Amino acid sequence: GGSLPYVIGHERVLGNYYKNLNQTASRVEAGATLATGAAKWHGEHLIKAGATVGYMTVTGVEDSRPVNYVRSNGTLARRYEFSGPGTFDASLVDAGLFVQDTWALRAGLKLHLGARWDPSTAASGLALWPRGVVSYDLRPNSTKLSSGIGVFADKALLAAPVFPDRQARREMLYDESGQHLQSSHLFT
């Protein structure tokens, strides 16, 4: 990118984008699933259990230049300036265990019950996510009616452990004539 100021207005955006970001990230993950249909109790059961483990890492540096917001008449309304080194380096380990029972209660009617446990170094505490689904084949291999409920979560992101290392942002406000107001806010 260039070095022209980044200016945002009502009907225009001028200059060069304010942020240069250079980062490298990687993720390695492994998992396994075991399934058995040996259980028979009030119908047939297909029981699955599995585990995953993952490792993620990110390193990088960001360099942000000021951003100016202007009014329709061209006067400066707001300015953001960035400070701090902007270097970051983070990693996390996540894992997951799950168990699921697909229970064929009778021809066409199935109950799917399961739970997932997802500990992560990026979040405090351990998470247990239950779920259940009832399905009925109205016409086998053609039409199925299903209803389910559960608690679901996505993989932990590296954004959380990296956020404190990002550059701080200072907001400065300007009056109608473009003169700096005494108040400013620092966001870290």
Side-chain angles (χ1 to χ4, degrees):
S3 59
L4 292 175
Y6 193 57
V7 179
I8 300 172
H10 289 269
E11 297 180 5
R12 62 182 164 189
V13 176
L14 304 170
N16 297 114
Y17 191 67
Y18 73 99
K19 182 180 283 194
N20 289 321
L21 177 64
N22 184 3
Q23 70 180 14
T24 302
S26 64
R27 177 175 178 85
V28 177
E29 185 172 339
T33 301
L34 175 67
T36 180
K40 300 217 186 290
W41 179 76
H42 297 284
E44 295 182 10
H45 295 261
L46 173 60
I47 298 172
K48 292 182 185 179
T52 61
V53 63
Y55 175 76
M56 293 182 281
T57 183
V58 64
T59 59
V61 62
E62 69 176 345
D63 179 29
S64 300
R65 295 183 310 281
V67 177
N68 296 325
Y69 287 84
V70 296
R71 296 180 181 87
S72 295
N73 65 5
T75 60
L76 186 60
R78 180 177 308 204
R79 178 179 172 92
Y80 289 102
E81 293 180 351
F82 301 87
S83 61
T87 58
F88 51 92
D89 184 1
S91 62
L92 69 84
V93 175
D94 62 10
L97 299 173
F98 75 90
V99 63
Q100 176 181 319
D101 180 9
T102 300
W103 184 3
L105 296 166
R106 63 181 187 156
L109 181 61
K110 292 181 182 175
L111 180 61
H112 310 267
L113 299 173
R116 184 168 180 87
W117 180 59
D118 289 309
S120 172
T121 59
S124 61
L126 302 175
L128 181 65
W129 312 104
R131 46 199 76 173
V133 174
V134 174
S135 65
Y136 184 71
D137 286 332
L138 297 171
R139 292 186 307 181
N141 299 321
S142 176
T143 305
K144 182 183 351 181
L145 180 63
S146 297
S147 179
I149 189 167
V151 180
F152 300 87
D154 206 349
K155 298 269 187 203
L157 300 176
L158 279 172
V162 165
F163 191 78
D165 296 330
R166 296 288 174 127
Q167 290 183 299
R169 177 185 67 189
R170 179 172 301 280
E171 176 188 56
M172 295 167 286
L173 304 175
Y174 296 81
D175 67 16
E176 295 279 332
S177 68
Q179 296 298 311
H180 180 256
L181 299 172
Q182 293 301 319
S183 66
S184 67
H185 300 93
L186 181 64
F187 300 95
T188 58

